[in-house]
Amino acid sequence: MPQDPHATFDQTVLEMIEHSPVGAVPFTPTYQDALKRLYASHQVYASADFKDGHVTVRSLAKRPLFHAANVDALVAGSAEAAALESNSGIFDRYLSHLPDALRAKAEAHRLKVVGRPLHHRKHGAATPAVHDPVHSLFLVPGTGPHHGLPGNYLYGSLFEIAHQGAPATWAIQLHDTDDGASTYDAATLAGALEKLQEVFASAPFHLSELAALGFKAN
């Protein structure tokens, strides 16, 4: 079986990106052609941290995921969805993982990523108990049509959708830092959690690759 004539050079470019402090390669036709191949095969993404820089998928594969610390207990059925770790706490752990130089830039995204605090509704004694819909943040290495958050992270959420007079349904949605988004709808929490585990196992990825997991681009 013939070997890819570009494989050796493309490997050299991957190593060059990983050893560069800003993920740079020369702006010569040969290197730019290699970048095009590496982008097309989803081995390299545009860096979220350095202008005109790049980041390799294999380096992102070493980075941690950030999600509710007790999500495994929820999957196992030993925790309630409403008791999941707060979004603010999850975002704080993501921040603490970043290099000092990136934290202020990441902090600027807090409101968009974490959302505003819920103001719990008050009900009279005769009113049936009502709970606020669950919304649980997670961050995974990856990119989209636009770059991710500092550190090259996509942000997403597992959330409950209430329906009057019918059981709630669930959804998983992921975003880059602009209008790139992808959504998966599930009829049950169990179905959503199963899909969420697939998402975690598949990271890092480009949002477009989530179509293989049944997600739809927004």
Side-chain angles (χ1 to χ4, degrees):
M1 186 173 181
Q3 291 186 333
D4 180 353
H6 303 296
T8 299
F9 186 71
D10 289 356
Q11 177 67 26
T12 298
V13 174
L14 285 172
E15 293 173 358
M16 181 177 292
I17 292 170
E18 291 172 350
H19 286 95
S20 167
V22 296
V25 299
F27 284 95
T28 62
T30 300
Y31 282 96
Q32 295 305 306
D33 286 346
L35 275 178
K36 290 177 183 177
R37 292 191 295 271
L38 293 169
Y39 270 82
S41 60
H42 296 295
Q43 295 184 70
V44 167
Y45 302 147
S47 173
D49 303 327
F50 302 104
K51 181 176 173 58
D52 297 324
H54 315 279
V55 61
T56 68
V57 169
R58 67 188 186 187
S59 66
L60 291 183
K62 302 173 184 177
R63 300 192 180 176
L65 312 181
F66 298 95
H67 51 71
N70 53 345
V71 73
D72 289 341
L74 181 62
V75 172
S78 58
E80 295 293 329
L84 287 170
E85 180 185 7
S86 72
N87 289 346
S88 182
I90 297 165
F91 191 80
D92 286 344
R93 288 195 284 108
Y94 153 70
L95 279 183
S96 68
H97 167 75
L98 294 174
D100 292 344
L102 296 179
R103 288 179 187 168
K105 184 179 177 182
E107 180 64 44
H109 294 279
R110 180 184 287 271
L111 184 59
K112 176 174 67 174
V113 174
V114 174
R116 298 182 183 277
L118 286 173
H119 295 288
H120 295 283
R121 292 163 288 179
K122 296 181 180 179
H123 308 280
T127 305
V130 177
H131 75 274
D132 292 302
V134 174
H135 181 278
S136 187
L137 173 69
F138 62 88
L139 300 103
V140 296
T143 193
H146 312 279
H147 62 69
L149 296 171
N152 297 284
Y153 277 85
L154 297 168
Y155 70 96
S157 58
L158 165 72
F159 59 94
E160 182 181 16
I161 304 171
H163 303 282
Q164 187 172 3
T169 56
W170 293 79
I172 301 168
Q173 191 169 79
L174 289 101
H175 304 263
D176 60 24
T177 52
D178 202 324
D179 58 359
S182 196
T183 303
Y184 179 84
D185 295 310
T188 64
L189 175 57
L193 289 172
E194 181 179 357
K195 186 59 61 175
L196 187 62
Q197 297 304 301
E198 289 185 46
V199 170
F200 292 164
S202 301
F205 47 73
H206 188 285
L207 282 178
S208 64
E209 295 179 273
L210 288 176
L213 297 183
F215 280 74
K216 295 182 179 178
N218 289 34

